Amino acid sequence: MSRPSGQDLSGPDRPSAHTADVPAARSGAPFRRLPRLLAALCDRLPEDRIAVVEQVLDTITGPEDPLLSRFIAAQSAAGLGQQLSEIVRVWRAEMPDMTGAGLALALATSRSFPRPRPAQVAVSGPISASIPARLTSGVAVEVIRMAQTSLLIASFAAHGARDVVTEIGQAVDRGVRVDLLLEESTQASAAFAELPDHVHVWHRVGPSGVLHAKLIAADRHTALLGSANLTDRALSDNIELGVVLRDPHLVEPLVGHFRWLLAPENNVMRLA
């Protein structure tokens, strides 16, 4: 915390600045934004993407290296180029003599300390370069890819979405249990007809109401919630909004609710 100008901090409750064997206070150290920006980048990107950034940084000499400018200009994810540009700007201002390899090491250090990751925005349709959001189509595939034991997917409508269907098939191949909760009146299950028979497809019991939820949950640790159905338009062209949760404390009860819906004794969902 900064001290008001002219404030007298001497007195009986404050040791003298010349007291022997007392280490110098560290409060005068300059505040640096760069570590916080690197941590925010780790929060945003999946580990494999962070590793790519580290590899690029390892090859550059410093913040003025043209290779870094070209790498930033090539980024298509919404807001990522601006986020990287801000890191370079602060790098130049705070630690201009640090090499790219040094910054890569700092980024790897931040990545190596697991911590709860914040919710992340996912969008479809037109996006502003200044908004730190990711496209729904890419996020959906990423969440499916994270499943190791179970995958729970709910959608009102489904059509096309070849990347999603392919990724679900690969999840099945690695032994993941897949449950698809689909609205029967939209014939959504047809989009997944090529998947193996042991993929569980569920429809709602009875004529009252429809299944309108949109969810992709990997195990009980990561979930994508949003307005987008599993259709080509919803994943890419429509104006849709979603959020990715990576906090097991939030995802666990969410998945628990849908597992309750599937329990036969509750008579809410039935196997197709």
Side-chain angles (χ1 to χ4, degrees), residues 16-56:
S16 167
H18 303 291
T19 301
D21 301 324
V22 177
R26 300 186 62 183
S27 59
F31 171 77
R32 299 194 186 279
R33 292 186 58 213
L34 192 55
R36 295 178 63 184
L37 292 175
L38 295 177
L41 187 66
C42 287
D43 286 339
R44 173 182 182 171
L45 296 180
E47 192 157 330
D48 59 335
R49 296 283 301 281
I50 289 292
V52 170
V53 176
E54 291 170 11
Q55 290 170 5
V56 172

Side-chain angles (χ1 to χ4, degrees), residues 138-260:
V139 174
V141 167
E142 178 187 309
V143 172
I144 295 170
R145 194 170 291 166
M146 295 174 69
Q148 297 299 316
T149 60
S150 64
L151 187 60
L152 194 152
I153 298 177
S155 187
F156 173 74
H159 183 268
R162 297 297 310 164
D163 289 346
V164 169
V165 175
T166 298
E167 204 63 46
I168 293 173
Q170 292 176 0
V172 173
D173 291 342
R174 63 177 182 268
V176 175
R177 175 190 168 100
V178 177
D179 289 284
L180 301 177
L181 288 69
L182 304 171
E183 171 54 33
E184 189 172 15
S185 66
T186 65
Q187 291 82 49
S189 59
F192 308 98
E194 68 181 48
L195 293 176
D197 292 339
H198 53 278
V199 169
H200 302 84
V201 177
W202 301 83
H203 295 320
R204 181 165 178 170
V205 171
S208 60
V210 297
L211 187 148
H212 204 253
K214 291 91 177 179
L215 165 72
I216 300 176
D219 302 332
R220 291 175 176 261
H221 55 69
T222 306
L224 169 62
L225 310 175
S227 61
N229 287 302
L230 294 180
T231 67
D232 292 329
R233 281 191 172 185
L235 293 173
S236 300
D237 300 327
N238 295 348
I239 296 178
E240 308 277 2
L241 179 63
V243 63
V244 184
L245 304 177
R246 292 188 173 89
D247 184 346
H249 294 292
L250 296 175
V251 177
E252 174 79 31
L254 178 67
V255 173
H257 170 69
F258 277 86
R259 291 296 176 195
W260 179 88

